[in-house]
Amino acid sequence: MNNKTPEPNAIIRSYGGLIAGQEDFGFFLLDRWIARGAAIGLKGLLAVVAVCGGERSIALAEQHLHDWYGVRAAQSKALIGMLAWTDHPAATQLVLSVGTRFRTKSLQEEAARQAAALAVRKGWTTDELADRSVPLEPDKKTLELQTARLYEAMCTGRTWTYQDWQVHLNQHPVMGRLTQRLVWKAGQAFRPLDDGRLVDVDDDLVDLPADARISIAHTSVVDEETRSRWQHYLADYGISTLFQQFGKELYRPASDYQVTEFDGIRLLAFALRSTARKLGYLRGQTLDGPSFDEYVKPFPSIGLTAVISFSGNELPEENRTVGLGSLTFRQTAPDGGATPVRLGDVPPVLLAETYDDLRVIAGSGRRLFK
């Protein structure tokens, strides 16, 4: 066994399946590794956990990541490597979620690298990996993760082939429930019924061609009449969509790189933090001081990050009055750096959604200081 890597080699993968009570053994090894302070010099033990571990090991690894991701970066990266080799949907989904749930950049990069490598091993794209590793049994965590994934898919303009959409979303025991609570688009807008049939806004059956490309509908990508009719349809049937698809204000950029309409709005730091977190933003990079001056919302599937700046706060945080700044976007570069992105190059749904985030955050300040 190589103590330098948590990724199992061919020998470990071959012999791991011969261990009696392998899931219990994997959990025991991981528990002991953590009890010894997650000794980085013994991370090779995680290669055995990857082969033997099951749901309990995955849950234990997730808890350790949650508790220590900001302190034990090397150990957390080792756990991500272990999870990427654990043959269980929950492990794959956890690796895929690191980019949006944990703010440490090195962990985001490691998770992206491991997810890409896992997708290659299976002969899929990263998006296909995410679709094909959804657990078959629903639970609160799975529903939350998949709702967030569908929201990102709407923002980024992701499309599915008709066959993939049918197999991995519409007919999937978990994803099918979520799919029915959205309006979709493939030339025309439609929604799935609980029996799998597709209907348009007039309740007429929709028969899509085999080569159809399907995406999630949004105000930014449908005309005014379609938006209005679907709003009435959803209200008439009492359908609560997973997230708001229609009715948000469209944003037309007034500058090349930043949204500045709410620059200077005053609000309390904790109100900013609370609202930003509810909208899915993470605290930005820690600066010297220590301090920070931005909240970020990553969209890993397209390598973009939305950035909302403010006048800054020290760590530990104080509930001081701060000034809201601008909304900008960064593109992750292959070397780990980032470059600014023109607003005109941001997917229109993503721009509309993040503009609305900024508007909501600014509104919390106006209520405080009106």
Side-chain angles (χ1 to χ4, degrees):
M1 182 176 67
N2 183 353
N3 282 331
K4 295 182 179 180
T5 176
E7 302 177 15
N9 58 29
I11 296 175
I12 294 175
R13 296 198 300 273
S14 297
Y15 284 98
L18 302 178
I19 299 174
Q22 62 178 15
E23 289 195 11
D24 289 338
F25 182 64
F27 178 81
F28 169 79
L29 287 180
L30 180 58
D31 185 56
R32 291 297 86 202
W33 183 75
I34 290 174
R36 294 191 61 177
I40 199 62
L42 296 176
K43 65 181 177 181
L45 288 174
L46 300 182
V48 181
V49 180
V51 173
C52 298
E55 292 186 0
R56 288 201 301 156
S57 295
I58 297 166
L60 184 59
E62 181 175 15
Q63 185 61 54
H64 192 75
L65 282 171
H66 182 271
D67 292 343
W68 295 97
Y69 71 92
V71 179
R72 295 177 173 174
Q75 290 88 341
S76 296
K77 288 165 66 174
L79 285 174
I80 292 170
M82 177 203 81
L83 289 164
W85 283 90
T86 301
D87 189 18
H88 193 287
T92 302
Q93 290 293 318
L94 179 53
V95 172
L96 290 166
S97 72
V98 168
T100 55
R101 293 176 59 196
F102 300 94
R103 64 174 177 265
T104 305
K105 184 179 179 182
S106 63
L107 300 192
Q108 294 175 354
E109 293 172 347
E110 177 65 11
R113 186 184 72 82
Q114 291 287 357
L118 175 56
V120 169
R121 291 198 296 272
K122 291 182 174 291
W124 301 334
T125 67
T126 305
D127 280 337
E128 289 171 340
L129 175 68
D131 286 341
R132 299 171 188 187
S133 60
V134 179
L136 299 179
E137 297 292 331
D139 58 50
K140 182 179 179 181
K141 185 184 301 180
T142 295
L143 295 176
E144 289 176 350
L145 286 175
Q146 298 312 313
T147 297
R149 190 166 69 87
L150 289 172
Y151 177 76
E152 179 172 345
M154 179 185 74
C155 289
T156 59
R158 184 189 170 186
T159 65
W160 288 261
T161 64
Y162 176 65
Q163 181 180 4
D164 281 350
W165 183 84
Q166 281 282 24
V167 172
H168 301 297
L169 277 78
N170 195 32
Q171 297 172 354
H172 189 279
V174 174
M175 298 304 296
R177 297 186 183 187
L178 305 181
T179 301
Q180 294 161 25
R181 293 176 56 191
L182 291 171
V183 178
W184 300 79
K185 185 174 180 292
Q188 67 181 113
F190 66 92
R191 66 173 292 261
L193 303 180
D194 56 10
D195 61 5
R197 293 180 301 161
L198 315 179
V199 297
D200 63 17
V201 73
D202 295 314
D203 278 329
D204 293 329
L205 291 177
V206 172
D207 186 18
L208 296 179
D211 62 351
R213 301 292 305 191
I214 299 174
S215 61
I216 302 175
H218 185 269
T219 292
S220 300
V221 292
V222 299
D223 58 50
E224 180 66 21
E225 180 182 1
T226 299
R227 178 198 62 77
S228 178
R229 294 191 69 195
W230 275 105
Q231 282 184 297
H232 285 99
Y233 176 100
L234 296 170
D236 288 345
Y237 280 93
I239 298 171
S240 175
T241 54
L242 291 179
F243 34 77
Q244 187 178 357
Q245 294 180 259
F246 306 109
K248 290 184 179 178
E249 180 181 348
L250 296 180
Y251 179 72
R252 293 175 175 79
S255 66
D256 285 342
Y257 287 96
Q258 54 185 340
V259 178
T260 59
E261 280 84 339
F262 304 101
D263 196 353
I265 292 291
R266 294 188 305 150
L267 66 168
L268 293 176
F270 288 0
L272 168 59
R273 181 180 68 183
S274 175
T275 307
R277 284 180 174 176
K278 288 177 182 177
L279 293 170
Y281 288 78
L282 306 171
R283 194 178 74 203
Q285 182 178 358
T286 301
L287 308 173
D288 291 340
S291 63
F292 72 105
D293 60 4
E294 60 187 30
Y295 285 92
V296 299
K297 191 173 189 177
F299 294 85
S301 64
I302 58 171
L304 278 185
T305 299
V307 181
I308 293 178
S309 65
F310 72 108
S311 57
N313 203 352
E314 296 178 354
L315 295 172
E317 296 179 61
E318 299 178 358
N319 195 23
R320 61 175 66 173
T321 299
V322 296
L324 194 59
S326 62
L327 166 67
T328 56
F329 295 86
R330 298 173 186 155
Q331 179 76 57
T332 302
D335 62 0
T339 57
V341 177
R342 294 172 61 93
L343 299 182
D345 295 330
V346 176
V349 178
L350 176 53
L351 183 58
E353 288 292 310
T354 50
Y355 171 80
D356 193 71
D357 291 343
L358 185 63
R359 180 190 60 80
V360 171
I361 291 172
S364 68
R366 286 171 174 162
R367 288 194 296 273
L368 286 169
F369 292 99
K370 64 181 179 180

